[in-house]
Structures are given as C-alpha cells and as structure tokens.
Amino acid sequence: MSSSLSSLRWLTLGAFSIGTEGFMIAGLLPGLAQDLNVSLPAAGHLVTAFSLAYAVGAPVMAVVTAGLERRRLLAFAIAGISLANLLAALAPGYAGLLAARLLLALSAASFMPAASGYAAASGGPERRGRALSMVTNGLSFAITAGVPLGVLVGQRLGWRATFLVVGGLAALSLVGILSGMPRQPPGITAGLGERLALARRPDVLAVLSTSALTVAGTFTLYTYLGVFLAKVAEIGPEGLAMVLLGFGIASAVGTRLGGAAADHWGARHTVIVGCGLTLLAYLVLSLGASLGPAQALLALLPAILLWGLASWGLMTAQQARLVALAPALASVSLSLNSSAIYLGSAMGAAVGALVVADNGVRELGWVAAGFSMAALLTVHVCARRFRSRLTRREGD
C-alpha cells in the first residue's frame, strides 16, 4: 500500500475512538446512572442528546467549516473529541457529562465527513474504495472490539476510565494527523439550501425515513440492552461484553453481505429482506422475554446475532438506494442519510427511555418491532412514488 494510503491509519484510529465511545455507553448506563445519582432513563438521554446534536450539527458544521484546509479541520475536530472525553471523565455531575457529550457530538459530526472526504481525495479514482474503507474500518473495529473492551474496562475500573482511554486514543490520532498526513485544500461543499432541497424530494425523504426508523428500532433496544439482558436472562457485565462482541461481529458481517446482496438482488429487495429479518429478531427477543432466564438465553442469543446481521446489512443497501435516486448528488444524499441515522438513534433512545421509565424493560423488543414495521411501510411508499413518477414520464 502506498504511503499516502498508509497515512490514513490515523483517520482509522480517530473513527475507532468515535465509534467506541458512541456505542459503548449503552453497556455503561447502569453504573453511570448509579454513580451520578440519576435514573436510568435520564442516563439514556445522554445517547439522545449526542445523536440529536450530531444529526443537526453535521450539515451545519459542514457548511461552517467548508473553507478550512482539510488537515487543519481534522486536527481541530479530533482535538475536540479528545477534550470532550477528558471533560466527560472529570465531569462532577450529570450536567457536566451532558455538556461533554454535546461537544463530542459536534466534534464527531465535523470529523467523520471530513475524514471520508480526505480519504476519497487521497486515494485517487483507482484506490478510492480502499481509502474510504480505512475510515469505515475504524467504525467496524470499534463495534467488534472497542465496545466489548470498553464495557470490560468500565466494569473493572469504572465508567470514567473508559472516557480517559478513548480520549487518549483520540489524542494519539491528533499527533498522527499533524505529523503524518499532508495538507489538503478544501473541496466543494453543498450549502444548506441544496441539502434541504434534496431532502424535500418525496422519494429521497421516504428512503431517509426508512433509515431513521430502522435505527430508531435498533437504539430503542440497544441503548438499554444491558438492562434488558440482566432482567430477562440474568446476564451480568462480563456476559454483556461477550454479547456485544457477538453483535459487533454479526454487524460487520452484515455490512459486507448487505453490499453484495444489493449488487446481486437489488438494493430495495435487500432492504425489505433486512427489515423483515430485523423484525423477526425483535419478535423473538420479545417472546423470549416472557420465558425463564435459562430458556430466554437460548432464544435471545441467536436473535441478537440475527438482529446485528440484518440491521447493519440493510443500511449498506440504503446507501445504494440513495445514490441510485440522485447519482449526481451522492455526497449530499449520503450526508443526509448520516443525519437520518443519528436522528433515528436519538428517537429510539428517547422512546426507550419512556418505556424503561414505565417499568417496561421487557417491552422494549415490541416497541423496536413497531419501528421495523414502520420502516417496511416507508419502503412500500417509496416504491409506489417511484412507479408513479415513472408512469408520468412515460406518458409525456
């Protein structure tokens, strides 16, 4: 691999730190809530606040920072991530931790799109896929390895230690970006008006709604997965880390399979199958919650693997659907999809908090299943609108 591509390992490390922090907090919520003397739903709002700030902040930050040289922007963003993790580790109370997560969200919303853009421009047309994969691999590694390890560190040393570790990784990424990556001029960035115009297109809006609803179902349950498994199957912290490892591996496999399936069978059919399998997984999880701990464990573990495989696989196909709808505006539509994903994350975590506050931990799977059914409906709506537009064009 050329030196230009090997220097992107610092972006891989930055993405790894962001992904690890963003997903591991679900396994830390019970201890975090107890230490900060807040309710579990209130602790869950830390996920909601982060996701909502990212969803709104990503397009705004892209426009605000459009004129910055790319390496400088990446350095500022990863420095903010390192600082935010340090502030989170030292937070004296809930309000301080919430403020740190908001800073983290805005910094991550600046870093991830800029990292992908930098990688795409560095690799050249013939190596663009490999360059982009170095950024996405950071998130994949975070889900498969960073999250389980983060949960184990949090259980052994306390939740504050996990933020210190992630902050240290981000600081190391900062050093590498400044010392090992060449400068890169800013590219062309779409304005807010162009982004909003595309988002208002009915067919694009339907696909974005599918993304948001799918992720909402995931985070309704994932945010409180540790509490759910402890209640239903009596799985402790170390068992939770193993479950998260299995979920992460299944998610990584699903991401690969989703892309291949979209190329072979079509993106829309892949999304339909993915939504259907995710719905099946939620139904099994919900039915398993009514069993005894031993029997529930036998039902829950395969369902969690299926959930990770299907939910992440269909998101790859979702990207293909958006690109097909507006090939010339692919970068804009994919950034909108990122915002839709984090909006869904915020929605799911908020709804999950309401369910948990009502002593309905066992009902989380049913609520997640409702989101999956709604996602399937939006796929049908998008197909109907597309056929209607095609019929009008043929009649002209």
Side-chain angles (χ1 to χ4, degrees):
M1 182 175 291
S2 69
S3 59
S4 63
L5 288 187
S6 63
S7 68
L8 299 180
R9 64 184 183 273
W10 302 112
L11 300 184
T12 305
L13 181 60
F16 177 82
S17 65
I18 291 171
T20 298
E21 196 284 336
F23 285 97
M24 75 180 179
I25 195 169
L28 304 175
L29 281 186
L32 189 150
Q34 184 177 9
D35 187 49
L36 295 179
N37 195 28
V38 297
S39 67
L40 191 61
H45 289 323
L46 294 169
V47 178
T48 303
F50 175 93
S51 300
L52 191 58
Y54 192 112
V56 176
V60 174
M61 296 302 291
V63 174
V64 170
T65 62
L68 282 179
E69 185 267 320
R70 297 294 92 181
R71 189 183 71 172
R72 178 177 298 181
L73 171 58
L74 288 166
F76 279 136
I78 201 67
I81 291 164
S82 182
L83 175 62
N85 276 281
L86 177 61
L87 293 175
L90 301 176
Y94 179 81
L97 182 56
L98 179 61
R101 293 220 86 210
L102 291 175
L103 173 61
L104 178 63
L106 293 177
S107 300
S110 301
F111 182 87
M112 291 305 298
S116 296
Y118 186 101
S122 297
E126 73 283 358
R127 294 176 296 178
R128 186 169 295 150
R130 282 182 290 168
L132 285 169
S133 71
M134 293 191 69
V135 178
T136 56
N137 282 344
L139 293 177
S140 299
F141 293 153
I143 297 168
T144 55
V147 172
L149 289 174
V151 171
L152 288 177
V153 170
Q155 296 299 333
R156 299 288 179 84
L157 302 178
W159 61 269
R160 295 178 187 273
T162 61
F163 286 105
L164 287 174
V165 172
V166 173
L169 292 175
L172 182 60
S173 174
L174 171 62
V175 173
I177 288 171
L178 291 175
S179 63
M181 291 174 53
R183 293 177 178 271
Q184 188 183 101
I188 299 174
T189 302
L192 286 176
E194 187 177 359
R195 294 169 188 267
L196 291 174
L198 183 61
R200 284 196 294 266
R201 275 181 44 176
D203 52 351
V204 173
L205 182 59
V207 177
L208 295 176
S209 298
T210 304
S211 293
L213 290 167
T214 298
V215 176
T218 293
F219 273 81
T220 295
L221 185 57
Y222 186 88
T223 305
Y224 301 98
L225 185 60
V227 183
F228 178 83
L229 293 177
K231 181 81 170 180
V232 172
E234 298 179 354
I235 294 178
E238 293 190 359
L240 173 62
M242 296 305 297
V243 171
L244 291 174
L245 174 62
F247 182 88
I249 293 174
S251 300
V253 173
T255 300
R256 294 293 185 94
L257 291 179
D263 290 339
H264 188 71
W265 289 299
R268 178 175 172 271
H269 289 103
T270 301
V271 171
I272 291 174
V273 172
C275 284
L277 292 176
T278 304
L279 174 60
L280 175 62
Y282 290 145
L283 293 176
V284 173
L285 287 167
S286 301
L287 294 172
S290 63
L291 304 174
Q295 295 85 355
L297 190 61
L298 295 176
L300 297 184
L301 294 182
I304 288 173
L305 294 177
L306 178 61
W307 170 29
L309 183 79
S311 62
W312 281 79
L314 72 88
M315 293 311 299
T316 305
Q318 278 289 96
Q319 293 179 322
R321 292 178 73 201
L322 283 169
V323 172
L325 288 176
L329 298 172
S331 61
V332 181
S333 63
L334 291 177
S335 69
L336 289 172
N337 192 55
S338 179
S339 290
I341 286 171
Y342 278 93
L343 182 62
S345 171
M347 181 166 52
V351 171
L354 294 174
V355 175
V356 172
D358 196 36
N359 295 318
V361 173
R362 294 177 182 272
E363 310 303 320
L364 288 170
W366 294 112
V367 179
F371 278 121
S372 278
M373 292 182 67
L376 276 170
L377 180 61
T378 61
V379 179
H380 171 70
V381 169
C382 182
R384 187 174 60 185
R385 286 185 177 274
F386 180 78
R387 284 195 297 267
S388 176
R389 288 178 60 188
L390 184 62
T391 301
R392 287 199 302 269
R393 287 177 181 175
E394 291 174 345
D396 292 340

